[in-house]
Amino acid sequence: MRRKIPPTQALVCFESSARHESFTKAAEELSLTQSAVCRQIANLEEFLDVQLFRRTRRGVKLTEAGQTYSRRISSRLDAVERDTLSVMGNQGTATLELAAVPTFSTQWLLPRLGDFLQKHPHVSVNLTNRTRPFLFADTEFDAAIYFGDGDWSGTEAHFLMQESPVPVCSPGLIAPRTRLEPAQIAELPLLQQTTRPYAWRQWFGSLDMRVEHDLNGTRLELFSMLAKAATHGMGVALIPPFLIRDELDSGRLITPCEHSFDSDHAYHLVIPERKSESATLQAFRDWIIEEAARYRGA
């Protein structure tokens, strides 16, 4: 069955015209004449039987349908371009597409990844941020580094490490004090992480404390956001020390209380069962498990 897909050139002209809301600027960007761009847009509108632009005295404006189509087409053209560059740039190499929680990959994985690439020069690793579980069948990912309980249907999960978060804050937030009791921490603004909504409740609970407002406070998605907010004195955050080594070493953040807890969630390398026999994945699995064990034993 023939696919209902417009010509690629028409889509490229539309994406550029929509981004600039100008046929003239699109023509300049694509090294085409304005009339050529206009023809491509007209052909696309005829193909779709939908008006994508409103022609005005001052130029062109996207219609509502045009705005919706533009958002969708732009992301898909970007994906086609990435896939094309990947094929062009990976002749004779194996590529590992890895989804990873962002702060962990930035602060822990990337400083060590060069060692893996040096040991396996034929392998290229691409990292994409993902903070929540997804269906491997719906993506091109070969594996994921995920924080959770390891229960991910259709996969094998390999334990890497616990988080063991501790309270951190700006020195100015509690000056002149440098140490606080847990009850004193409960009196400060608590910065919450979207993907760890009960972290403070678990932390206080591990001390047999009940704090009524432990779920209240500014909510941020990433540890890097929490660290920045804490650095600017917005409150106290629960963050694993290994993710904010620079901030702690420089004194921008301090640990007013050393108490931590280990939840039933941890960092895991997750591999779909259908790809578990991949030699590239096996090499990466063995390497990262060894690196995590070395870190835990340090």
Side-chain angles (χ1 to χ4, degrees):
M1 179 177 176
R2 185 175 180 180
R3 295 180 181 272
K4 192 72 171 178
I5 299 176
T8 304
Q9 182 68 3
L11 294 176
V12 170
C13 287
F14 168 67
E15 188 277 333
S16 181
S17 299
R19 182 160 29 86
H20 294 294
E21 282 201 316
S22 168
F23 293 163
T24 301
K25 291 182 179 179
E28 293 173 355
E29 181 176 89
L30 300 174
S31 299
L32 298 171
T33 64
Q34 184 188 37
S35 60
V37 171
C38 291
R39 284 196 302 272
Q40 291 290 345
I41 298 301
N43 291 339
L44 181 60
E45 289 179 324
E46 182 180 355
F47 180 91
L48 298 171
D49 195 21
V50 171
Q51 184 180 2
L52 299 172
F53 291 94
R54 295 192 311 274
R55 279 69 173 175
T56 70
R57 291 182 179 180
R58 295 185 178 182
V60 294
K61 293 290 183 182
L62 285 165
T63 63
E64 185 174 348
Q67 289 177 341
T68 301
Y69 196 50
S70 172
R71 287 193 296 269
R72 294 173 178 173
I73 288 301
S74 178
S75 62
R76 285 163 173 78
L77 287 177
D78 287 343
V80 170
E81 183 178 38
R82 287 195 301 272
D83 292 343
T84 302
L85 292 173
S86 177
V87 170
M88 294 171 63
N90 289 298
Q91 299 290 340
T93 65
T95 301
L96 175 61
E97 295 289 345
L98 183 65
V101 285
T103 311
F104 179 90
S105 60
T106 301
Q107 299 297 327
W108 189 87
L109 178 59
L110 280 177
R112 295 168 170 80
L113 190 58
D115 176 68
F116 173 78
L117 297 176
Q118 186 176 22
K119 292 175 178 176
H120 303 275
H122 65 288
V123 178
S124 175
V125 179
N126 296 331
L127 284 174
T128 301
N129 289 338
R130 285 293 181 95
T131 59
R132 302 177 189 276
F134 53 86
L135 295 176
F136 277 100
D138 295 339
T139 73
E140 296 298 319
F141 293 126
D142 298 306
I145 294 177
Y146 159 70
F147 180 78
D149 58 9
D151 184 13
W152 193 330
S153 179
T155 69
E156 57 180 45
H158 302 276
F159 172 80
L160 297 178
M161 66 185 71
Q162 296 282 350
E163 275 193 332
S164 304
V166 295
V168 297
C169 65
S170 164
L173 184 68
I174 63 172
R177 299 170 297 177
T178 58
R179 308 293 294 176
L180 295 176
E181 295 298 321
Q184 294 173 305
I185 290 177
E187 297 173 355
L188 296 173
L190 302 178
L191 297 173
Q192 308 283 350
Q193 187 176 15
T194 307
T195 56
R196 316 283 197 279
Y198 298 103
W200 276 113
R201 177 160 294 181
Q202 292 173 318
W203 188 82
F204 286 119
S206 67
L207 292 163
D208 295 324
M209 293 177 60
R210 179 176 177 82
V211 176
E212 290 186 3
H213 61 276
D214 58 6
L215 300 182
N216 298 343
T218 299
R219 294 190 176 277
L220 302 164
E221 185 174 12
L222 306 179
F223 279 125
S224 56
M225 294 178 177
L226 285 175
K228 184 63 70 174
T231 298
H232 287 281
M234 291 175 58
V236 58
L238 273 176
I239 305 178
F242 73 91
L243 296 181
I244 49 171
R245 199 74 270 160
D246 289 345
E247 290 87 345
L248 292 172
D249 290 344
S250 68
R252 297 195 302 275
L253 290 176
I254 60 172
T255 305
C257 178
E258 297 290 345
H259 178 74
S260 184
F261 72 98
D262 286 334
S263 72
D264 54 356
H265 287 188
Y267 289 101
H268 295 83
L269 173 68
V270 181
I271 300 174
E273 292 175 349
R274 59 188 172 85
K275 294 192 175 185
S276 61
E277 298 302 316
S278 163
T280 301
L281 274 175
Q282 290 177 354
F284 183 79
R285 176 200 63 198
D286 294 345
W287 172 81
I288 196 170
I289 289 175
E290 182 178 349
E291 283 295 313
R294 183 179 295 114
Y295 169 79
R296 296 195 307 269

